[in-house]
Amino acid sequence: MAGFGGDPDNVTIAGQSAGAFAVLALAVMPQARGLFQRAILQSGPFVIEPDAPERAEARGRLLAETVADGRADALCEVAVDRILAASGVIARQFASGPGDFTPPYLPCVDGELITGPLLQAVAAGAASWCPMIAGYTREECTVFAAIDPALATLDEAGLLAILGKRLGDDAAAVLAEYRALRGHGRHPASLLSDVQTDAHFVGPTHELAHLQHRAGRPIHLFSFDWQSPRAGFGANHCLELPFLFGNRDAWADAPMVRGADDDDYAHIGGAMRGYWGAFARSGRTEVAGLPPWAAYDDARTVMSFERCIRPLNDPAGTRWRLAFRALKRV
């Protein structure tokens, strides 16, 4: 860090999606404490648990069989595009069924660096030293549903079967709640996407915030709510990235940001960079000309990034929603 002109005693690490999962893994890892001072976690699927050793070994064995004739030592010689293509094979083999968006590879519980589920470690106080910003996009899983052909023909019975595996006897009541919240005319795949967004991203992020607040460590939550011009995408996974980094040209081929209003892009992106930069410099979120962003507490304050940037109390409905209570039980 010092070699690049930075302050080695004032380091903020950040990650998105699997990167956020990795950041949280570092935050609960005793061996990493002191290497950084703060963390930013965007769209982390914290409900996912690290692999048991035997499951991780099975993933690696399947990869070797798929691209390297079963020889682990030959994997280093395999072209990157073949390994990337094989990732789809791995994901499908280990998926629990349609709508399972678990990544093809996961960190492994080794008993030393990673000892178990990350949120379990947070609950035990392992991350209580680390100030954080954490958040999600409002419709994370729409983009995953759009690329899963098995969901195109999903019907009511299939949706209830999937929810039944996840929620047991609560499935029908939870589905009725989502219909009331999101509309009765939505395709079953869209409703599944709503459930998965809450189960994999929104709920676990609020749980992380609750645990950090309980430990006395400030954490600031956000929800990226700006809606993509692409019908059906909403505020999908990765949508906040071109706004945050200000590199819209690099996303020219991404349908989710095509047609974005220039004023929205400049306003939202500038605000995010202001907050993120202030936090990285000082651990605080006060920025002149922007709304105050309070740390998460019993009011469950979340900063909403959309055309109108504003703090909201409990916008996800974690105080009262049946879905969150059901998801936490399982």
Side-chain angles (χ1 to χ4, degrees):
M1 189 69 185
F4 290 95
D7 181 354
D9 295 319
N10 189 23
V11 177
T12 297
I13 63 172
Q16 188 265 350
S17 193
F21 192 95
V23 166
L24 187 58
L26 287 168
V28 302
M29 196 180 293
Q31 297 87 338
R33 189 174 299 190
L35 298 179
F36 57 97
Q37 284 66 49
R38 291 173 290 279
I40 299 174
L41 308 95
Q42 299 174 208
S43 298
F46 305 127
V47 71
I48 296 174
E49 297 186 359
D51 266 343
E54 57 274 12
R55 188 171 175 87
E57 183 178 354
R59 291 181 192 268
R61 187 181 302 113
L62 179 58
L63 174 63
E65 291 170 352
T66 303
V67 300
D69 297 321
R71 294 174 48 233
D73 60 341
L75 284 173
C76 292
E77 304 168 8
V78 178
V80 171
D81 59 343
R82 290 191 62 207
I83 291 180
L84 291 176
S87 297
V89 176
I90 311 300
R92 288 189 292 273
Q93 177 67 29
F94 286 88
S96 62
D100 184 350
F101 311 126
T102 304
Y105 312 109
L106 294 167
C108 174
V109 174
D110 66 347
E112 181 179 354
L113 297 178
I114 298 179
T115 58
L118 301 188
L119 288 181
Q120 189 177 93
V122 175
S128 61
W129 64 274
C130 185
M132 297 177 180
I133 283 177
Y136 45 81
T137 67
R138 183 51 266 179
E139 287 93 15
E140 294 272 6
C141 291
T142 53
V143 68
F144 302 126
I147 61 175
D148 188 341
L151 296 182
T153 57
L154 186 69
D155 58 14
E156 178 82 4
L159 175 58
L160 272 173
I162 294 171
L163 295 182
K165 290 181 181 179
R166 172 74 178 168
L167 301 172
D169 294 341
D170 291 319
V174 169
L175 179 56
E177 180 178 81
Y178 277 91
R179 282 209 178 91
L181 290 168
R182 300 304 298 264
H184 287 260
R186 290 173 66 81
H187 189 278
S190 296
L191 289 168
L192 178 61
S193 172
D194 292 337
V195 176
Q196 295 287 63
T197 290
D198 284 346
H200 282 251
F201 297 97
V202 179
T205 301
H206 278 266
E207 182 68 7
L208 169 64
H210 166 72
L211 294 171
Q212 287 294 87
H213 170 61
R214 189 178 70 182
R217 183 58 55 183
I219 179 170
H220 293 76
L221 247 58
F222 74 89
S223 178
F224 191 87
D225 299 325
W226 181 86
Q227 299 289 291
S228 168
R230 174 72 175 263
F233 272 34
N236 61 273
H237 195 64
C238 295
L239 187 61
E240 88 282 13
L241 295 178
F243 288 81
L244 175 62
F245 290 113
N247 60 346
R248 187 175 175 181
D249 290 346
W251 296 76
D253 294 329
M256 60 190 187
V257 292
R258 196 173 298 141
D261 182 273
D262 291 342
D263 290 338
D264 287 354
Y265 179 75
H267 171 52
I268 297 170
M272 293 182 74
R273 289 188 292 275
Y275 285 125
W276 269 235
F279 180 76
R281 285 189 297 271
S282 67
R284 303 173 69 86
T285 54
E286 289 89 356
V287 180
L290 291 177
W293 185 358
Y296 191 91
D297 57 17
D298 291 340
R300 296 178 173 86
T301 300
V302 177
M303 185 63 75
S304 172
F305 288 96
E306 56 172 340
R307 186 164 290 175
C308 177
I309 297 170
R310 64 208 189 281
L312 302 173
N313 288 343
D314 198 31
T318 53
R319 284 186 183 278
W320 56 268
R321 284 181 59 193
L322 167 65
F324 283 102
R325 296 200 300 275
L327 292 167
K328 193 167 183 177
R329 279 197 298 273
V330 297

